[in-house]
Structure formats: C-alpha cells, structure tokens
Amino acid sequence: MDGNGRWAQQRRRPRMIGHRAGARAVNRSIDFCLERGVGALTLFAFSSENWGRPQDEVDSLMKLFLGALDREVDELHRRGVRVRFIGDRSRFAASIAQRMDKAEQRTAGNTAMTLSIAASYGGRQDIAAAARALAEQVAAGTLLPEQIDEQALGQHVALADMPPPDLFIRTGGDTRISNFLLWQLAYSELWFTDVLWPDVDAAVLQQALDDYAGRERRFGLTSAQIAANAAPSTHS
Ligand code: FPP
C-alpha cells in the first residue's frame, strides 16, 4: 500500500493525512474484495523496516492502527471477515498486541473472506523464523535434516494454511516486492500501478483483476501442458 506520503505531499499536507486517506482506501479495497468474492486479501500495512521511520510517524501510525482496530473489527465481524495478523507481534505495545489477539479470536470462525494484515512483517524474517522452527525440531530430535524440504519449510512460514496469493498488487509506481511475502509469492502474478494507495478504488482494483484474468499461469510447465490439463476429459 505505497504512496500515502507522496499523496499528502502533493497536497502540501503532513504525511499522516496521507496515511489516514490510506486507511480509507483499505476500507474500499475490503468492500471491493467482499463484493467480488475474493477469498483472501493480505495487506502490507507496516514492514519490519518501517520501525526505522521518524519516531513521530511511527507513533502516529500506531495510533491510526489502534483506532482502526477499535472501529472496524465489529463491522468486519458482522460481514463475516476473518481477521489475522502476520509479523513480529512482540514489537508492538501490549495494548495493540492484545487487541490483535482479540480481533483474531473474535473473528476466527468467519468464512466470507480472510483479511490478513502484515504488520511488523518482513519476508526474510518470515523465512528465517521458519528455518529456526525446523532447526529447533532437529535439535530436539523430532526431525531429521534430510526431512527438510520445500514442503516442511512451507509449513512454517506465515499463512501456511492458505493457498499462495494469486495476485500481488503494488501501488505508488515502484516495481519491487520490498520484502513482502517472499516465499509465498513464488508463482504469484505481479501487477504494478503508478496510482498512489490513497487513490485506489474499485476501478483500479478491477483493472488489476482484468489484467490478471488475461494471464496464463504456467507454474514452470509449457502452454500445451496447461491447455491439456484444462481441457475437459474425453474419457467417461
Ligand atoms: C506506505 O506509504 C504506507 C505505510 C507505511 C503505512 C500504511 C498504513 C495504512 C494504509 C493505514 C492503516 C492500515 C490498516 C491496515 C489499518 P509511504 O508512507 O511509504 O508512502 P510514500 O512512499 O509516498 O512516502
């Protein structure tokens, strides 16, 4: 969700005005996904690197985050959204971490959509934590080193219980992944737009879906193989 700061700058307003407009774009995006039947939406709200921003911006973002949690969770629950957080929760103030836990517990049984919010999240940190979990099992004697493979590691990264993302959207003009779901995005389709995050609306998101719909996902196979697998079977 990139471009909040520049959106504010263009209007000669403080960066936080951009973040607040960004929070409204979050609501619009959730509405859009619910309307289109998108099963899972993962938002990169705050990276592990974002802790290094000026302290007043970090503090204000935490306040915004806390306010959004207090305001929106009831409504999300009412609409059947399961809310979860990925990232290093230990770095948040206890008041925020507790509200994250509560929001997760309250919405755990919802099935309309899973909204995952990456907060204090880093893709490398995610993979390192998974490697550490496996190393601990080896040290405890419950796992052999030769049992470590893609599947074993993949069971310990964030969102391991979810299908990998089909589509990655980055706003704000930069064409990088910036340490987002590095493991999980291996075969995701990437879509970039110059639109700044606070300006994202249904039309922009629809453009991303339309572009996605026209792509051929081969997962390392050939076009012919993909076509053969998709064709209806001629055997009864
Ligand atoms: C990146 O834009 C945005 C952030 C670091 C914060 C995102 C937070 C929100 C949208 C608000 C709250 C979110 C939730 C889920 C309640 P930037 O500041 O890097 O923009 P710039 O590149 O233009 O400076």
Side-chain angles (χ1 to χ4, degrees):
M1 302 191 286
D2 209 9
N4 294 349
R6 278 166 287 162
W7 187 91
Q9 243 164 6
Q10 284 173 359
R11 289 160 179 75
R12 301 186 196 290
R13 306 295 306 277
R15 291 177 60 81
M16 268 325 286
I17 298 291
H19 290 313
R20 280 195 208 116
R24 292 194 289 278
V26 167
N27 288 338
R28 285 197 295 275
S29 306
I30 294 170
D31 291 347
F32 176 87
C33 289
L34 278 167
E35 279 162 23
R36 297 303 145 105
V38 171
L41 172 67
T42 304
L43 298 170
F44 202 0
F46 194 82
S47 73
S48 35
E49 292 77 22
N50 286 154
W51 291 110
R53 289 197 174 197
Q55 195 56 44
D56 60 338
E57 183 168 342
V58 172
D59 291 345
S60 301
L61 274 170
M62 290 302 131
K63 256 195 209 157
L64 180 65
F65 195 41
L66 199 59
L69 274 175
D70 284 343
R71 258 194 331 274
E72 308 295 344
V73 171
D74 279 350
E75 178 66 4
L76 291 170
H77 185 47
R78 197 186 60 73
R79 298 171 83 184
V81 177
R82 175 167 69 137
V83 180
R84 63 200 310 201
F85 298 90
I86 58 169
D88 182 2
R89 210 166 296 192
S90 70
R91 295 188 71 178
F92 287 99
S95 56
I96 299 188
Q98 277 163 12
R99 278 180 175 86
M100 289 167 148
D101 292 345
K102 265 201 184 150
E104 285 184 337
Q105 286 158 14
R106 175 131 187 258
T107 62
N110 293 341
T111 54
M113 178 172 86
T114 299
L115 171 67
S116 304
I117 298 173
S120 188
Y121 176 85
R124 288 178 174 174
Q125 165 193 289
D126 188 6
I127 295 169
R132 192 181 324 122
L134 293 177
E136 280 166 2
Q137 289 178 26
V138 171
T142 56
L143 184 74
L144 295 168
E146 53 269 33
Q147 290 174 311
I148 296 178
D149 55 13
E150 286 182 28
Q151 207 200 346
L153 199 130
Q155 281 167 1
H156 290 274
V157 293
L159 308 178
D161 55 333
M162 309 274 293
D166 290 316
L167 175 63
F168 161 101
I169 297 175
R170 179 168 185 152
T171 60
D174 288 321
T175 45
R176 330 178 249 278
I177 292 175
S178 295
N179 205 16
F180 196 35
L181 304 163
L182 295 181
W183 178 275
Q184 299 83 342
L185 291 174
Y187 279 101
S188 305
E189 294 296 325
L190 309 181
W191 192 79
F192 299 93
T193 176
D194 288 336
V195 173
L196 303 176
W197 174 255
D199 288 327
V200 165
D201 58 12
V204 173
L205 295 172
Q206 189 59 49
Q207 217 184 325
L209 291 194
D210 290 346
D211 191 325
Y212 172 82
R215 300 203 190 173
E216 181 190 55
R217 303 186 74 191
R218 291 192 296 278
F219 300 96
L221 304 180
T222 65
S223 283
Q225 286 174 302
I226 299 295
N229 287 339
S233 167
T234 50
H235 300 282
S236 54

mmCIF file of all heavy atoms in Angstrom, residues 87-117:
data_model
loop_
_atom_site.group_PDB
_atom_site.id
_atom_site.type_symbol
_atom_site.label_atom_id
_atom_site.label_comp_id
_atom_site.label_asym_id
_atom_site.label_seq_id
_atom_site.Cartn_x
_atom_site.Cartn_y
_atom_site.Cartn_z
ATOM 1 N N GLY A 87 3.459 -11.276 11.202
ATOM 2 C CA GLY A 87 4.593 -10.397 11.530
ATOM 3 C C GLY A 87 4.994 -10.573 12.984
ATOM 4 O O GLY A 87 4.409 -11.388 13.705
ATOM 5 N N ASP A 88 5.981 -9.816 13.384
ATOM 6 C CA ASP A 88 6.550 -9.951 14.728
ATOM 7 C C ASP A 88 5.733 -9.135 15.728
ATOM 8 O O ASP A 88 5.974 -7.947 15.925
ATOM 9 C CB ASP A 88 8.016 -9.480 14.701
ATOM 10 C CG ASP A 88 8.676 -9.636 16.056
ATOM 11 O OD1 ASP A 88 8.019 -10.135 16.996
ATOM 12 O OD2 ASP A 88 9.846 -9.238 16.176
ATOM 13 N N ARG A 89 4.774 -9.805 16.368
ATOM 14 C CA ARG A 89 3.846 -9.103 17.259
ATOM 15 C C ARG A 89 4.537 -8.598 18.516
ATOM 16 O O ARG A 89 4.070 -7.674 19.171
ATOM 17 C CB ARG A 89 2.707 -10.049 17.638
ATOM 18 C CG ARG A 89 1.419 -9.348 17.894
ATOM 19 C CD ARG A 89 0.265 -10.308 17.923
ATOM 20 N NE ARG A 89 0.038 -10.978 16.656
ATOM 21 C CZ ARG A 89 -1.044 -11.678 16.386
ATOM 22 N NH1 ARG A 89 -1.993 -11.796 17.292
ATOM 23 N NH2 ARG A 89 -1.198 -12.264 15.207
ATOM 24 N N SER A 90 5.686 -9.208 18.852
ATOM 25 C CA SER A 90 6.346 -8.843 20.105
ATOM 26 C C SER A 90 6.867 -7.403 20.081
ATOM 27 O O SER A 90 7.159 -6.829 21.115
ATOM 28 C CB SER A 90 7.509 -9.809 20.395
ATOM 29 O OG SER A 90 8.557 -9.580 19.458
ATOM 30 N N ARG A 91 6.957 -6.811 18.902
ATOM 31 C CA ARG A 91 7.492 -5.437 18.841
ATOM 32 C C ARG A 91 6.417 -4.381 19.091
ATOM 33 O O ARG A 91 6.718 -3.208 19.210
ATOM 34 C CB ARG A 91 8.169 -5.197 17.486
ATOM 35 C CG ARG A 91 9.396 -6.092 17.320
ATOM 36 C CD ARG A 91 10.190 -5.736 16.095
ATOM 37 N NE ARG A 91 10.892 -4.458 16.227
ATOM 38 C CZ ARG A 91 11.688 -3.949 15.306
ATOM 39 N NH1 ARG A 91 11.895 -4.605 14.191
ATOM 40 N NH2 ARG A 91 12.293 -2.785 15.489
ATOM 41 N N PHE A 92 5.158 -4.796 19.114
ATOM 42 C CA PHE A 92 4.080 -3.823 19.353
ATOM 43 C C PHE A 92 3.859 -3.618 20.845
ATOM 44 O O PHE A 92 4.132 -4.511 21.652
ATOM 45 C CB PHE A 92 2.769 -4.328 18.731
ATOM 46 C CG PHE A 92 2.749 -4.242 17.238
ATOM 47 C CD1 PHE A 92 3.017 -5.340 16.456
ATOM 48 C CD2 PHE A 92 2.484 -3.031 16.603
ATOM 49 C CE1 PHE A 92 3.019 -5.267 15.075
ATOM 50 C CE2 PHE A 92 2.479 -2.945 15.225
ATOM 51 C CZ PHE A 92 2.754 -4.059 14.460
ATOM 52 N N ALA A 93 3.325 -2.435 21.198
ATOM 53 C CA ALA A 93 2.922 -2.189 22.581
ATOM 54 C C ALA A 93 1.889 -3.242 22.965
ATOM 55 O O ALA A 93 1.119 -3.714 22.117
ATOM 56 C CB ALA A 93 2.320 -0.791 22.696
ATOM 57 N N ALA A 94 1.883 -3.591 24.278
ATOM 58 C CA ALA A 94 0.969 -4.652 24.739
ATOM 59 C C ALA A 94 -0.478 -4.318 24.400
ATOM 60 O O ALA A 94 -1.248 -5.212 24.021
ATOM 61 C CB ALA A 94 1.137 -4.844 26.244
ATOM 62 N N SER A 95 -0.857 -3.028 24.476
ATOM 63 C CA SER A 95 -2.257 -2.649 24.217
ATOM 64 C C SER A 95 -2.653 -3.013 22.780
ATOM 65 O O SER A 95 -3.773 -3.455 22.528
ATOM 66 C CB SER A 95 -2.455 -1.154 24.452
ATOM 67 O OG SER A 95 -1.548 -0.421 23.646
ATOM 68 N N ILE A 96 -1.719 -2.836 21.842
ATOM 69 C CA ILE A 96 -2.019 -3.150 20.437
ATOM 70 C C ILE A 96 -2.005 -4.664 20.230
ATOM 71 O O ILE A 96 -2.914 -5.229 19.611
ATOM 72 C CB ILE A 96 -1.019 -2.460 19.489
ATOM 73 C CG1 ILE A 96 -1.115 -0.936 19.650
ATOM 74 C CG2 ILE A 96 -1.266 -2.873 18.040
ATOM 75 C CD1 ILE A 96 -0.323 -0.144 18.640
ATOM 76 N N ALA A 97 -0.980 -5.327 20.776
ATOM 77 C CA ALA A 97 -0.864 -6.786 20.591
ATOM 78 C C ALA A 97 -2.099 -7.496 21.141
ATOM 79 O O ALA A 97 -2.611 -8.450 20.529
ATOM 80 C CB ALA A 97 0.410 -7.297 21.260
ATOM 81 N N GLN A 98 -2.595 -7.001 22.301
ATOM 82 C CA GLN A 98 -3.792 -7.629 22.887
ATOM 83 C C GLN A 98 -5.009 -7.467 21.984
ATOM 84 O O GLN A 98 -5.799 -8.398 21.802
ATOM 85 C CB GLN A 98 -4.122 -6.988 24.237
ATOM 86 C CG GLN A 98 -3.316 -7.561 25.391
ATOM 87 C CD GLN A 98 -3.355 -6.659 26.619
ATOM 88 O OE1 GLN A 98 -4.162 -5.718 26.679
ATOM 89 N NE2 GLN A 98 -2.479 -6.928 27.574
ATOM 90 N N ARG A 99 -5.128 -6.274 21.392
ATOM 91 C CA ARG A 99 -6.284 -6.053 20.508
ATOM 92 C C ARG A 99 -6.171 -6.914 19.251
ATOM 93 O O ARG A 99 -7.175 -7.367 18.695
ATOM 94 C CB ARG A 99 -6.384 -4.588 20.136
ATOM 95 C CG ARG A 99 -7.083 -3.773 21.225
ATOM 96 C CD ARG A 99 -7.101 -2.375 20.740
ATOM 97 N NE ARG A 99 -7.803 -1.429 21.530
ATOM 98 C CZ ARG A 99 -7.279 -0.764 22.562
ATOM 99 N NH1 ARG A 99 -6.082 -1.058 23.018
ATOM 100 N NH2 ARG A 99 -7.971 0.178 23.159
ATOM 101 N N MET A 100 -4.939 -7.124 18.776
ATOM 102 C CA MET A 100 -4.753 -8.010 17.615
ATOM 103 C C MET A 100 -5.222 -9.424 17.972
ATOM 104 O O MET A 100 -5.972 -10.055 17.219
ATOM 105 C CB MET A 100 -3.269 -8.062 17.220
ATOM 106 C CG MET A 100 -2.729 -6.804 16.588
ATOM 107 S SD MET A 100 -0.922 -6.953 16.559
ATOM 108 C CE MET A 100 -0.528 -6.070 15.117
ATOM 109 N N ASP A 101 -4.787 -9.903 19.154
ATOM 110 C CA ASP A 101 -5.178 -11.248 19.599
ATOM 111 C C ASP A 101 -6.701 -11.356 19.656
ATOM 112 O O ASP A 101 -7.298 -12.316 19.172
ATOM 113 C CB ASP A 101 -4.628 -11.549 21.010
ATOM 114 C CG ASP A 101 -3.116 -11.670 21.027
ATOM 115 O OD1 ASP A 101 -2.516 -11.802 19.939
ATOM 116 O OD2 ASP A 101 -2.523 -11.620 22.130
ATOM 117 N N LYS A 102 -7.309 -10.333 20.278
ATOM 118 C CA LYS A 102 -8.771 -10.345 20.462
ATOM 119 C C LYS A 102 -9.493 -10.374 19.125
ATOM 120 O O LYS A 102 -10.464 -11.111 18.941
ATOM 121 C CB LYS A 102 -9.201 -9.102 21.240
ATOM 122 C CG LYS A 102 -9.333 -9.333 22.708
ATOM 123 C CD LYS A 102 -10.247 -8.255 23.291
ATOM 124 C CE LYS A 102 -10.327 -8.393 24.794
ATOM 125 N NZ LYS A 102 -10.548 -7.097 25.456
ATOM 126 N N ALA A 103 -9.027 -9.512 18.182
ATOM 127 C CA ALA A 103 -9.678 -9.447 16.862
ATOM 128 C C ALA A 103 -9.596 -10.814 16.183
ATOM 129 O O ALA A 103 -10.559 -11.273 15.558
ATOM 130 C CB ALA A 103 -9.009 -8.375 16.007
ATOM 131 N N GLU A 104 -8.449 -11.464 16.317
ATOM 132 C CA GLU A 104 -8.282 -12.794 15.694
ATOM 133 C C GLU A 104 -9.222 -13.815 16.316
ATOM 134 O O GLU A 104 -9.878 -14.586 15.611
ATOM 135 C CB GLU A 104 -6.831 -13.264 15.862
ATOM 136 C CG GLU A 104 -5.882 -12.558 14.929
ATOM 137 C CD GLU A 104 -4.464 -13.083 15.028
ATOM 138 O OE1 GLU A 104 -4.099 -13.669 16.068
ATOM 139 O OE2 GLU A 104 -3.698 -12.883 14.078
ATOM 140 N N GLN A 105 -9.274 -13.792 17.673
ATOM 141 C CA GLN A 105 -10.115 -14.786 18.363
ATOM 142 C C GLN A 105 -11.583 -14.574 18.009
ATOM 143 O O GLN A 105 -12.318 -15.516 17.724
ATOM 144 C CB GLN A 105 -9.927 -14.671 19.881
ATOM 145 C CG GLN A 105 -8.601 -15.235 20.355
ATOM 146 C CD GLN A 105 -8.188 -14.666 21.706
ATOM 147 O OE1 GLN A 105 -8.993 -14.062 22.412
ATOM 148 N NE2 GLN A 105 -6.921 -14.824 22.056
ATOM 149 N N ARG A 106 -11.994 -13.295 18.015
ATOM 150 C CA ARG A 106 -13.407 -12.974 17.792
ATOM 151 C C ARG A 106 -13.870 -13.392 16.400
ATOM 152 O O ARG A 106 -14.994 -13.847 16.213
ATOM 153 C CB ARG A 106 -13.518 -11.474 17.981
ATOM 154 C CG ARG A 106 -14.819 -10.871 17.693
ATOM 155 C CD ARG A 106 -15.268 -9.954 18.820
ATOM 156 N NE ARG A 106 -16.606 -9.526 18.565
ATOM 157 C CZ ARG A 106 -16.910 -8.329 18.083
ATOM 158 N NH1 ARG A 106 -15.965 -7.434 17.909
ATOM 159 N NH2 ARG A 106 -18.153 -8.027 17.823
ATOM 160 N N THR A 107 -12.987 -13.243 15.400
ATOM 161 C CA THR A 107 -13.403 -13.455 14.010
ATOM 162 C C THR A 107 -12.968 -14.820 13.469
ATOM 163 O O THR A 107 -13.158 -15.098 12.282
ATOM 164 C CB THR A 107 -12.827 -12.342 13.098
ATOM 165 O OG1 THR A 107 -11.399 -12.404 13.135
ATOM 166 C CG2 THR A 107 -13.276 -10.952 13.543
ATOM 167 N N ALA A 108 -12.385 -15.653 14.348
ATOM 168 C CA ALA A 108 -11.744 -16.902 13.890
ATOM 169 C C ALA A 108 -12.683 -17.816 13.097
ATOM 170 O O ALA A 108 -12.245 -18.533 12.205
ATOM 171 C CB ALA A 108 -11.169 -17.651 15.086
ATOM 172 N N GLY A 109 -13.995 -17.766 13.414
ATOM 173 C CA GLY A 109 -14.911 -18.701 12.762
ATOM 174 C C GLY A 109 -15.515 -18.164 11.473
ATOM 175 O O GLY A 109 -16.336 -18.835 10.848
ATOM 176 N N ASN A 110 -15.140 -16.959 11.057
ATOM 177 C CA ASN A 110 -15.774 -16.342 9.878
ATOM 178 C C ASN A 110 -15.217 -16.919 8.579
ATOM 179 O O ASN A 110 -14.050 -17.301 8.508
ATOM 180 C CB ASN A 110 -15.566 -14.829 9.906
ATOM 181 C CG ASN A 110 -16.328 -14.189 11.054
ATOM 182 O OD1 ASN A 110 -17.256 -14.781 11.589
ATOM 183 N ND2 ASN A 110 -15.934 -12.988 11.438
ATOM 184 N N THR A 111 -16.078 -16.943 7.561
ATOM 185 C CA THR A 111 -15.669 -17.632 6.326
ATOM 186 C C THR A 111 -15.843 -16.807 5.045
ATOM 187 O O THR A 111 -15.478 -17.264 3.963
ATOM 188 C CB THR A 111 -16.488 -18.936 6.156
ATOM 189 O OG1 THR A 111 -17.880 -18.599 6.221
ATOM 190 C CG2 THR A 111 -16.166 -19.947 7.231
ATOM 191 N N ALA A 112 -16.409 -15.582 5.139
ATOM 192 C CA ALA A 112 -16.655 -14.823 3.904
ATOM 193 C C ALA A 112 -15.335 -14.446 3.229
ATOM 194 O O ALA A 112 -15.209 -14.481 1.998
ATOM 195 C CB ALA A 112 -17.470 -13.567 4.195
ATOM 196 N N MET A 113 -14.355 -14.058 4.028
ATOM 197 C CA MET A 113 -13.044 -13.686 3.468
ATOM 198 C C MET A 113 -12.029 -13.691 4.614
ATOM 199 O O MET A 113 -12.378 -13.403 5.749
ATOM 200 C CB MET A 113 -13.110 -12.278 2.850
ATOM 201 C CG MET A 113 -11.782 -11.811 2.290
ATOM 202 S SD MET A 113 -11.934 -10.255 1.376
ATOM 203 C CE MET A 113 -11.790 -9.057 2.659
ATOM 204 N N THR A 114 -10.791 -14.034 4.287
ATOM 205 C CA THR A 114 -9.725 -13.902 5.280
ATOM 206 C C THR A 114 -8.928 -12.643 4.966
ATOM 207 O O THR A 114 -8.365 -12.513 3.877
ATOM 208 C CB THR A 114 -8.795 -15.130 5.274
ATOM 209 O OG1 THR A 114 -9.571 -16.282 5.604
ATOM 210 C CG2 THR A 114 -7.674 -14.980 6.285
ATOM 211 N N LEU A 115 -8.920 -11.716 5.915
ATOM 212 C CA LEU A 115 -8.148 -10.480 5.780
ATOM 213 C C LEU A 115 -6.907 -10.623 6.650
ATOM 214 O O LEU A 115 -7.007 -10.679 7.878
ATOM 215 C CB LEU A 115 -8.983 -9.287 6.254
ATOM 216 C CG LEU A 115 -8.247 -7.957 6.364
ATOM 217 C CD1 LEU A 115 -7.821 -7.451 4.987
ATOM 218 C CD2 LEU A 115 -9.122 -6.915 7.061
ATOM 219 N N SER A 116 -5.758 -10.728 6.007
ATOM 220 C CA SER A 116 -4.510 -10.835 6.769
ATOM 221 C C SER A 116 -3.793 -9.501 6.700
ATOM 222 O O SER A 116 -3.609 -8.948 5.612
ATOM 223 C CB SER A 116 -3.611 -11.929 6.186
ATOM 224 O OG SER A 116 -4.301 -13.155 6.150
ATOM 225 N N ILE A 117 -3.417 -8.997 7.844
ATOM 226 C CA ILE A 117 -2.706 -7.722 7.878
ATOM 227 C C ILE A 117 -1.264 -7.988 8.293
ATOM 228 O O ILE A 117 -1.012 -8.534 9.372
ATOM 229 C CB ILE A 117 -3.408 -6.749 8.837
ATOM 230 C CG1 ILE A 117 -4.822 -6.497 8.304
ATOM 231 C CG2 ILE A 117 -2.613 -5.442 8.966
ATOM 232 C CD1 ILE A 117 -5.699 -5.704 9.196
#
